[in-house]
Amino acid sequence: MSKETRRSQALEYHAKGRPGKIEVVPTKEAKTQRDLSLAYSPGVAEPCKEIESNRENIYKYTAKGNLVGVITNGTAVLGLGDIGPEASKPVMEGKGVLFKIFADIDVFDIEINEKDPEKFVEIVQALEPTFGGINLEDIKAPECFYIEKELKKRMKIPVMHDDQHGTAIISSAALLNALELQKKKIEKVRFVVNGAGAAAMACVKLYVSLGARHENFTLFDKDGVLHAGRTDLGEDKAPFAVKSADWTLTKAMKDADVFLGLSVGNVVTTEMVQSMAKNPIVFAMANPDPEITYDKGIAARKDLIMATGRSDYPNQVNNVLGFPFIFRGALDVRATQINEEMKLAAVHALADLAKSPVPDIVNLAYNEKNIVFGPHYIIPKPLDPRLLACIAPAVAKAAIASGVATTTIKNWEAYEEELNNRLGIDNQLMRVIGSKARRDPKRLVFAEADNMKILKAASIVFEEGVAYPILLGNEEKIRRIAETHQIDLDGIPIIDPRSDEQEEKRKEYGQLLFLKRQRKGLNKYESIKIMKDRNYFGCMMVETGDADAMISGLTRNYDETIRPALQVIGTEESVNKIAGMYLLLTKKGPIFMADTTVNFNPTAEELAEITLMVAKEVRNFNLTPRIAMLSYSNFGSSASPEAQLVAKARKLVKERNPSLIVDGEMQGIIAFNKEILKENYPFSELVDKDVNTLIFPNLASGNIAYNLLKEVGGADAIGPILLGLKKPVHVLQLGSSVRSIFNMALVAVIDAQMKCSRNQTEEIVRKSKWWKRFQKVSKEM
């Protein structure tokens, strides 16, 4: 191999896939001696020489372009104060996680043991060759103002003190929307601001950039009102000083339009809010205790729009809505700074996003049916997947327009697609489902608890607070397995259906089963005996309200898990056959697939019923089903019986549910290629729709497709999820991983949340005919 070829390969190796990613697993292969020679000596010398000849090549051959330094001295950690650089490190590491999760930006956190602002500036300035941007964090005022100002002057990479500008940007977006809803003009409203620290001053200055007037502000700090007679204000605060020193917070609040709090909790009273002008706005953002609680504020005024810094109330002003996406846009055009134009672009992008229809996945995340722009929703939610592709391009465009970008983006549509592909939304659904499960955990039976994977998953489920696990099996064996693998089962109940302690419960459950199956081949003795089987016992726990859901099947054949569920729990009203569905987490988002496990060759009527059951389950996730019914034919292009069966099934579905978005028969490629669909079949209901549900004509095609997507396509599969049962019982795949079991547990909890609560379940059970018969038979026995 020639020297020039080696050089070319080394440069290609280091340039491939940049901006790079600092991860535990390398992003480039290093499996052979050749790979190692390209990654390090002697190949690494080639990119070194390229960078030496042109410093800008550092962005081409290294990770600099995707690397942000989160830097602090720990002098003003939120809620903790001056705790020092060592104690601040967990906060900085957490900030790094948020950068990665929300914007795919890599982070080195650096904690500097230096309080002298000039020395701090010199240290950070010396780090410029390493980073593409600097996020200053938790540095006390007034030093933070000087530090940021100096670093912005001395460095040619974007620098932002997020404690100041993050809060300012998010609250500004909220303010614009609140003013619009309250029908007020920013240049006319009167502001009262309690707190005059770094965040508060950044807020009021950005409000001025949006049109607010200096003379319409009354600011207070720990020493009282900012007035012209004070000598400690400095050039930032002086323009906001009032003439008289006799202002109090109570006096200032009278007839004020907007209150902004970035101070301490519980300093604003109900009477103060009641004294404000018509249609007031209150941003009480002290944490963890706001200046006035959300409940008190809303109770004081029906015409009030309120925001806080807390996640448990509407309108949370959360910095995570800003910094990841602002840095993403700045890095992608290699901006030399984050200027006022870029911040304002982020403000307007955020404000506009809140007015657009909210995706289903956001409704699911916050357990809402339909979040809409209004007094309780004036800024987007942090889990909105549109934030990255909305804010980053706005910031990048502003950087280019204001002349601080050193490179440009030629194709904005491609850039937005690249942004969406950076994170994908493949595992976002599970994060959202996990959040929803934590709000209302359910009692979940693990029928095969004498298995290490099940015990690990149950322990995680319990620790994460998404469910209350109930373990079935021999307690001695289970605890031995747990001890061997160091699995903490503290607080998790273990029930052995075969033990003497459960004799009465077996008898009770067996009598109930006998009443259900006495003319279906099961006698009384067998009904009680079969309750030693953990699947039957677990299903009966769910049926009687002793538990809310069950998962099983890790070590058993599929039918061994389904049969007890059918015999004990039965199907929902009007359901003739159960079906099986998989949830695949793909880069295109979640895709639901059915039937993949139960019905071999369904009739058109059965396929229609399967489709309606799947649609119902998709809605349980607060997602709108958009269904493609698949075949090898497109809208009548084949007159074969198989194609006509799917077409007939689609017709039956529309007759039963006309509003359902469903079309077919159609080929798989047509379902996911909007351009082909629009050009050739513009009549389709799925034109310009993102398909999230696939219905297959038979079990073979569905099972093959899901396995291929899972193994070759790299999608995570959750399932099979049983459809049509009255209460949630779900089946694990043989050999499922701990992660898959955990994900299935989440699905089971969400499913159970859609069913009755324990008290409701018991009430229904007691009112049912077979319960009354059981009571009578029990007495006779």
Side-chain angles (χ1 to χ4, degrees):
M1 185 184 296
S2 69
K3 182 178 180 181
E4 187 57 35
T5 300
R6 284 198 191 92
R7 178 178 180 276
S8 175
Q9 289 181 347
L11 292 175
E12 181 183 359
Y13 182 90
H14 282 270
K16 184 179 179 183
R18 296 297 183 185
K21 299 182 179 181
I22 308 303
E23 298 177 341
V24 176
V25 180
T27 58
K28 301 179 181 68
E29 291 188 354
K31 297 179 179 178
T32 66
Q33 179 60 38
R34 174 183 172 278
D35 293 335
L36 294 175
S37 70
L38 293 175
Y40 196 54
S41 182
V44 74
E46 300 303 332
C48 290
K49 289 186 287 186
E50 289 292 310
I51 296 168
E52 183 186 25
S53 65
N54 180 359
R55 298 293 178 184
E56 286 301 302
N57 280 335
I58 191 172
Y59 289 97
K60 185 176 181 180
Y61 296 118
T62 77
K64 177 183 172 78
N66 197 52
L67 191 58
V68 165
V70 174
I71 303 180
T72 190
N73 59 8
T75 53
V77 179
L78 181 64
L80 299 173
D82 186 352
I83 60 175
E86 293 87 354
S88 72
K89 187 172 179 61
V91 180
M92 303 309 116
E93 290 181 344
K95 192 72 175 276
V97 171
L98 297 180
F99 266 108
K100 190 64 179 177
I101 288 174
F102 287 99
D104 193 30
I105 292 173
D106 300 308
V107 163
F108 284 156
D109 65 283
I110 299 179
E111 295 72 36
I112 298 175
N113 189 17
E114 181 57 72
K115 292 186 177 182
D116 181 273
E118 180 56 36
K119 290 181 180 178
F120 188 95
V121 166
E122 291 173 358
I123 293 168
V124 177
Q125 182 185 357
L127 297 171
E128 184 170 354
T130 299
F131 296 108
I134 299 293
N135 181 103
L136 299 171
E137 192 79 12
D138 293 350
I139 303 168
K140 75 181 180 73
E143 289 89 336
C144 63
F145 301 119
Y146 172 80
I147 289 169
E148 184 191 43
K149 188 176 180 179
E150 283 300 307
L151 287 174
K152 288 179 75 170
K153 283 196 303 186
R154 302 183 193 185
M155 301 178 81
K156 295 181 180 179
I157 58 175
V159 176
M160 187 172 86
H161 182 211
D162 184 51
D163 298 323
Q164 295 181 59
H165 306 297
T167 303
I169 289 164
I170 314 310
S171 71
S172 292
L175 177 66
L176 288 181
N177 284 341
L179 289 171
E180 179 180 327
L181 289 166
Q182 300 290 52
K183 296 181 171 54
K184 296 189 177 189
K185 302 289 186 181
I186 192 169
E187 64 271 16
K188 294 183 179 180
V189 298
R190 192 163 72 80
F191 295 84
V192 175
V193 181
N194 200 55
M201 293 312 302
C203 286
V204 298
K205 286 193 283 186
L206 195 55
Y207 296 173
V208 169
S209 295
L210 289 166
R213 299 179 185 274
H214 287 91
E215 61 268 25
N216 288 340
F217 284 88
T218 306
L219 274 68
F220 296 84
D221 64 9
K222 61 182 176 58
D223 297 317
V225 70
L226 273 59
H227 62 88
R230 288 177 55 169
T231 58
D232 60 340
L233 299 186
E235 61 181 26
D236 286 330
K237 299 178 183 179
F240 297 97
V242 296
K243 293 179 181 179
S244 173
D246 65 352
W247 284 92
T248 64
L249 188 59
T250 301
K251 178 181 176 181
M253 288 283 280
K254 183 173 173 55
D255 296 325
D257 298 285
V258 178
F259 170 79
L260 171 67
L262 285 159
S263 53
V264 294
N266 303 310
V267 294
V268 173
T269 65
T270 298
E271 290 74 22
M272 290 181 188
V273 175
Q274 290 171 340
S275 74
M276 294 178 73
K278 183 181 179 182
N279 298 329
I281 297 165
V282 170
F283 289 177
M285 296 189 293
N287 256 326
D289 298 316
E291 286 78 2
I292 182 171
T293 65
Y294 185 86
D295 293 334
K296 282 186 178 180
I298 295 299
R301 295 283 294 263
K302 294 186 182 300
D303 60 346
L304 173 69
I305 291 180
M306 187 168 176
T308 70
R310 293 178 55 137
S311 61
D312 50 349
Y313 294 114
N315 300 327
Q316 183 196 17
V317 177
N318 189 330
N319 281 21
V320 79
L321 289 168
F323 68 83
F325 317 114
I326 293 166
F327 271 96
R328 178 77 275 158
L331 292 175
D332 289 342
V333 293
R334 294 187 208 163
T336 57
Q337 61 177 281
I338 293 173
N339 59 22
E340 200 74 1
E341 291 86 349
M342 294 161 74
K343 289 186 283 184
L344 289 173
V347 169
H348 289 292
L350 265 173
D352 290 343
L353 184 61
K355 300 173 190 175
S356 60
V358 174
D360 294 332
I361 198 167
V362 180
N363 289 317
L364 172 64
Y366 295 93
N367 204 28
E368 299 281 352
K369 287 294 182 183
N370 188 27
I371 298 172
V372 294
F373 178 61
H376 301 297
Y377 177 65
I378 58 175
I379 41 176
K381 301 289 190 180
L383 291 178
D384 194 321
R386 302 170 298 169
L387 286 163
L388 180 59
C390 173
I391 300 173
V395 171
K397 288 175 182 177
I400 294 169
S402 61
V404 298
T406 58
T407 186
T408 190
I409 294 170
K410 296 178 181 178
N411 187 332
W412 289 100
E413 287 186 7
Y415 175 55
E416 288 184 21
E417 184 177 349
E418 175 195 328
L419 290 172
N420 285 325
N421 290 337
R422 270 189 174 275
L423 300 181
I425 52 176
D426 52 333
N427 65 352
Q428 185 178 25
L429 178 65
M430 297 317 298
R431 290 201 300 270
V432 167
I433 289 173
S435 177
K436 185 175 182 181
R438 287 182 190 91
R439 290 193 184 98
D440 185 18
K442 296 298 182 184
R443 297 159 300 159
L444 180 59
V445 175
F446 290 88
E448 301 161 301
D450 53 358
N451 181 282
M452 181 268 292
K453 290 181 181 178
I454 293 289
L455 294 182
K456 277 190 175 181
S459 179
I460 295 170
V461 160
F462 189 62
E463 184 179 341
E464 292 284 319
V466 298
Y468 304 112
I470 300 170
L471 307 178
L472 299 188
N474 180 275
E475 183 169 358
E476 184 181 341
K477 183 178 181 181
I478 289 170
R479 295 204 179 278
R480 186 167 61 247
I481 295 170
E483 185 178 352
T484 300
H485 296 279
Q486 296 183 320
I487 301 169
D488 183 10
L489 298 183
D490 187 37
I492 301 176
I494 301 173
I495 298 173
D496 183 0
R498 305 180 69 89
S499 68
D500 293 340
E501 288 83 354
Q502 297 303 318
E503 183 177 357
E504 287 302 315
K505 186 61 75 173
R506 285 198 304 271
K507 184 177 179 182
E508 175 189 330
Y509 286 170
Q511 291 165 354
L512 295 177
L513 181 62
F514 175 60
L515 293 174
K516 285 173 170 283
R517 308 295 301 177
Q518 61 186 355
R519 293 186 181 273
K520 297 178 182 178
L522 202 64
N523 63 39
K524 186 172 66 176
Y525 171 77
E526 291 170 332
S527 299
I528 296 173
K529 182 181 178 181
I530 206 170
M531 283 303 143
K532 290 185 176 182
D533 183 290
R534 285 176 281 173
N535 277 334
Y536 276 95
F537 192 93
C539 284
M540 192 58 79
M541 290 182 73
V542 175
E543 174 67 0
T544 59
D546 289 337
D548 301 302
M550 184 183 94
I551 57 176
S552 184
L554 183 69
T555 59
R556 299 202 182 194
N557 291 330
Y558 194 67
D559 59 349
E560 291 181 50
T561 305
I562 292 180
R563 189 182 302 112
L566 285 172
Q567 292 181 355
V568 173
I569 293 173
T571 60
E572 293 179 316
E573 294 295 328
S574 76
V575 170
N576 297 311
K577 277 192 172 184
I578 65 168
M581 178 186 79
Y582 273 91
L583 168 56
L584 264 66
L585 305 176
T586 75
K587 291 295 181 182
K588 285 184 174 289
I591 296 178
F592 299 85
M593 305 172 69
D595 182 347
T596 48
T597 56
V598 179
N599 298 288
F600 288 96
N601 291 291
T603 64
E605 289 75 13
E606 289 169 343
L607 197 60
E609 185 176 352
I610 290 168
T611 304
L612 292 169
M613 285 194 294
V614 171
K616 181 180 178 181
E617 185 70 17
V618 174
R619 287 194 191 94
N620 283 350
F621 291 92
N622 269 31
L623 301 176
T624 299
R626 294 179 287 271
I627 305 170
M629 300 187 74
L630 301 182
S631 177
Y632 53 80
S633 170
N634 286 317
F635 306 105
S637 64
S638 172
S640 68
E642 292 84 359
Q644 289 181 342
L645 182 146
V646 178
K648 181 181 178 182
R650 188 259 175 184
K651 182 180 178 182
L652 292 171
V653 169
K654 294 300 289 185
E655 288 174 357
R656 298 176 192 176
N657 190 345
S659 64
L660 191 63
I661 302 171
V662 55
D663 219 336
E665 84 287 8
M666 63 198 306
Q667 294 176 353
I669 188 174
I670 301 297
F672 291 102
N673 194 312
K674 294 180 183 178
E675 292 181 8
I676 297 177
L677 189 64
K678 190 171 185 178
E679 183 177 343
N680 294 279
Y681 309 103
F683 55 81
S684 173
E685 290 188 22
L686 295 174
V687 168
D688 296 327
K689 301 284 195 311
D690 291 320
V691 170
N692 59 14
T693 307
L694 302 177
I695 303 297
F696 294 90
N698 52 51
L699 187 145
S701 60
N703 196 272
I704 290 168
Y706 114 75
N707 275 300
L708 285 174
L709 280 171
K710 185 181 69 167
E711 295 301 325
V712 179
D716 276 346
I718 301 173
I721 301 168
L722 289 183
L723 307 175
L725 289 172
K726 283 192 299 183
K727 296 176 183 178
V729 172
H730 294 303
V731 184
L732 298 167
Q733 284 182 287
L734 288 171
S736 291
S737 66
V738 173
R739 178 182 176 183
S740 295
I741 299 167
F742 178 78
N743 285 340
M744 181 59 89
L746 293 179
V747 170
V749 170
I750 298 301
D751 204 359
Q753 288 176 351
M754 299 299 136
K755 311 295 183 182
C756 297
S757 68
R758 179 179 184 183
N759 291 336
Q760 291 172 319
T761 300
E762 291 176 347
E763 185 66 18
I764 291 170
V765 167
R766 285 177 172 80
K767 287 181 179 179
S768 65
K769 291 181 180 178
W770 58 263
W771 175 268
K772 293 175 182 177
R773 290 175 60 199
F774 163 66
Q775 296 285 68
K776 182 180 178 182
V777 172
S778 295
K779 291 177 182 177
E780 294 174 354
M781 296 175 70

